[in-house]
Amino acid sequence: MNRYWYYRNVVDDHLVVHGFVDGYTKWVFHGEGFSSRSTPHASNDDEGSTMRDDIDGLLHDTFRNIEGQVGDEEGVGERLSEDAKKFFKLLEEGKQELYPGCENFSKLSFTIRLYLLKSLHGLSNVAFSDLLELIKESFPFAQVPESFNKARNMITDLGLHYEKIHACPNDCMLFWKENANAENCSICGSSRWKSGGPLTKASSKIPAKVLRYFPLKPRLQRIFMCPETAAAMRWHTNERPNDGNIRHPADGEAWKAFDSLHPDFSRDARNVRLGLSSDGFNPFRTMSISHSTWPVMSIISRKDIDVYLRPLIEELKELWETGIDTFDAETNQTFRMRAALMWTVSDFPALAMLSGWSTKGRLACPTCNYDTCSQYLKNSHKMCYLGHRRFLPRDHPFRRDKKSFDGKEVHRPAPALLSGEEVFEELLEFNNIFGKRAKKGHGVIRVRGKRDPFFSNCHIGCITN
């Protein structure tokens, strides 16, 4: 009866065990959503079935910039751009019924639904192809792709794809750009391919490690393809109340300082400011995804993350220096969109991986740096960190409280923060050594000497303390 507050997972358990309302079959007071599990088959008299996907809207949002460029004149197909060819090909597949008389699915919408289920339930490519083959054999009149590769091509044409980039098994380098055709790692010499017996065909080679990279640029462009989200990207300039309250990053000092440093960037409200959220946990155990009011890139951190961040940094540099032509659906105009990385938000383990400053041991505090107050406890074999009363105001009573702490008074001032210029000068001549094998015997370098991949490319628009 909407009287109690519980966490989401508890409410979900209650709904599964007890149901929603006794005798509930269909909610009619606010409109029916997706068909419930208790009524999986929609009847023929259900008007406006929500199982019908808005494929036309999806296609027009994706390819809005090439709509209307084609007429009915003869021979026009020879002059179409690649995007236009994809658009009309997908448009045709979106009109094909899955089978004669099917009203809920087209060939394209059914393939997208299958691909969604593949992603949600972790189906392998082979299993997906076998499923398509089974559907094709059972319903020979169904208009479905014959294999996973053909289904994937549809998804790629919609801009929902990712890039596969081979990596060294020891995380030394990516087989990308200038090393795209290399067979062995230039640092440790490891083979690009898994060893499993003699290989006779190049197509049968299996990469030892693969980075699956979701390109940033098309996803930023997609934000402006929908009029609603395009308008929301200008909310901080056009509609944000200026009453002194902090309700948006634009109200913060970092945003304002960035605007003063880069007035040409801030002149267009559609330019994108990015925050990167990273997680330092094992990606095979725990993964967290952050949500915010501005675009967020979410990544999983690892010790040699610099290697795997290279494609992202390349895109960020391009977006900062030159930008990319983007269609604004609200104004029906194409503009030059630029982007800047302004924040990196990490948990403590990921902070060590991204910044190169170890968050363990005697110098674990990245703020105190080499002036960290630490003490080793012999009995528990652990480090403890005292002396942080120095961050309190000079007249705070805790500074003189011996009994409640370690028996000492603290009168030292708080440590001075390193400026961006000081950090840059300290790491200017440092040479990163990537990979597991290359770092043996170099513990000190591994612990303290890793350059921040974003700070070393600070001209892409980072703000540092």
Side-chain angles (χ1 to χ4, degrees), residues 375-413:
Q375 183 177 353
Y376 182 72
L377 303 179
K378 296 181 179 180
N379 294 328
S380 61
H381 304 287
K382 293 182 179 180
M383 297 294 301
C384 72
Y385 305 94
L386 302 174
H388 285 81
R389 287 176 285 167
R390 60 193 297 194
F391 290 94
L392 296 172
R394 299 298 296 268
D395 57 348
H396 200 284
F398 279 2
R399 281 181 170 268
R400 300 183 298 276
D401 190 346
K402 299 180 181 180
K403 184 177 180 180
S404 301
F405 295 95
D406 58 353
K408 300 179 182 178
E409 293 186 4
V410 175
H411 298 288
R412 292 194 304 163

Side-chain angles (χ1 to χ4, degrees), residues 161-166 176 210-216 218-219 311 315:
H161 65 291
Y162 58 82
E163 298 177 9
K164 284 186 176 182
I165 304 175
H166 296 176
W176 187 60
V210 177
L211 166 66
R212 288 171 173 82
Y213 176 65
F214 292 84
L216 176 62
R219 282 155 178 82
E315 281 198 282

Side-chain angles (χ1 to χ4, degrees), residues 25-200:
T25 56
K26 184 175 181 180
W27 187 252
V28 295
F29 300 106
H30 299 89
E32 181 71 352
F34 281 99
S35 298
S36 63
R37 294 181 182 270
S38 59
T39 57
H41 302 289
S43 60
N44 294 331
D45 59 351
D46 286 342
E47 296 182 1
S49 172
T50 55
M51 290 299 290
R52 297 176 183 172
D53 297 310
D54 186 15
I55 294 299
D56 287 344
L58 174 64
L59 293 178
H60 285 272
D61 280 346
T62 304
F63 298 97
R64 188 183 298 271
N65 58 328
I66 54 91
E67 278 188 78
Q69 72 175 19
V70 180
D72 297 328
E73 62 270 19
E74 185 178 355
V76 73
E78 299 177 358
R79 302 195 301 272
L80 292 181
S81 66
E82 289 301 319
D83 281 345
K85 291 179 181 178
K86 293 177 183 178
F87 170 69
F88 287 103
K89 177 185 174 183
L90 292 172
L91 194 63
E92 182 64 28
E93 292 173 342
K95 294 178 180 178
Q96 295 178 14
E97 295 180 344
L98 182 62
Y99 55 84
C102 179
E103 298 180 356
N104 292 334
F105 291 107
S106 65
K107 176 182 177 180
L108 179 59
S109 65
F110 186 74
T111 303
I112 293 175
R113 285 293 187 97
L114 280 179
Y115 210 90
L116 173 63
L117 294 177
K118 174 192 182 302
S119 302
L120 290 176
H121 301 292
L123 293 178
S124 67
N125 298 347
V126 176
F128 189 77
S129 294
D130 291 344
L131 178 61
L132 289 174
E133 185 177 350
L134 177 62
I135 296 174
K136 197 72 176 177
E137 292 177 356
S138 303
F139 307 95
F141 44 80
Q143 300 292 323
V144 297
E146 292 81 4
S147 65
F148 164 73
N149 289 331
K150 291 188 176 180
R152 182 175 58 182
N153 290 338
M154 288 187 182
I155 303 299
T156 302
D157 290 342
L158 284 171
L160 304 175
H161 65 291
Y162 58 82
E163 298 177 9
K164 284 186 176 182
I165 304 175
H166 296 176
C168 169
N170 294 316
D171 306 326
C172 303
M173 58 170 277
L174 296 177
F175 295 97
W176 187 60
K177 286 200 170 181
E178 69 276 6
N179 298 314
N181 298 322
E183 294 289 326
N184 298 90
C185 176
S186 60
I187 297 177
C188 68
S190 298
S191 174
R192 176 177 184 169
W193 314 103
K194 286 185 177 180
S195 57
L199 299 172
T200 57

Side-chain angles (χ1 to χ4, degrees), residues 311-385:
L312 174 61
I313 291 177
E314 290 284 339
E315 281 198 282
L316 288 172
K317 291 171 67 176
E318 179 184 351
L319 286 168
W320 171 253
E321 294 171 355
T322 61
I324 183 172
D325 288 336
T326 304
F327 182 80
D328 186 343
E330 188 191 23
T331 61
N332 288 322
Q333 294 177 346
T334 298
F335 73 103
R336 196 73 170 173
M337 179 188 66
R338 295 175 61 197
L341 176 63
M342 289 187 58
W343 296 275
T344 58
V345 183
S346 313
D347 59 9
F348 214 49
L351 176 62
M353 297 174 188
L354 278 175
S355 68
W357 186 268
S358 176
T359 53
K360 298 183 291 186
R362 292 188 176 276
L363 305 179
C365 179
T367 303
C368 296
N369 208 272
Y370 288 102
D371 199 17
T372 301
C373 297
S374 59
Q375 183 177 353
Y376 182 72
L377 303 179
K378 296 181 179 180
N379 294 328
S380 61
H381 304 287
K382 293 182 179 180
M383 297 294 301
C384 72
Y385 305 94

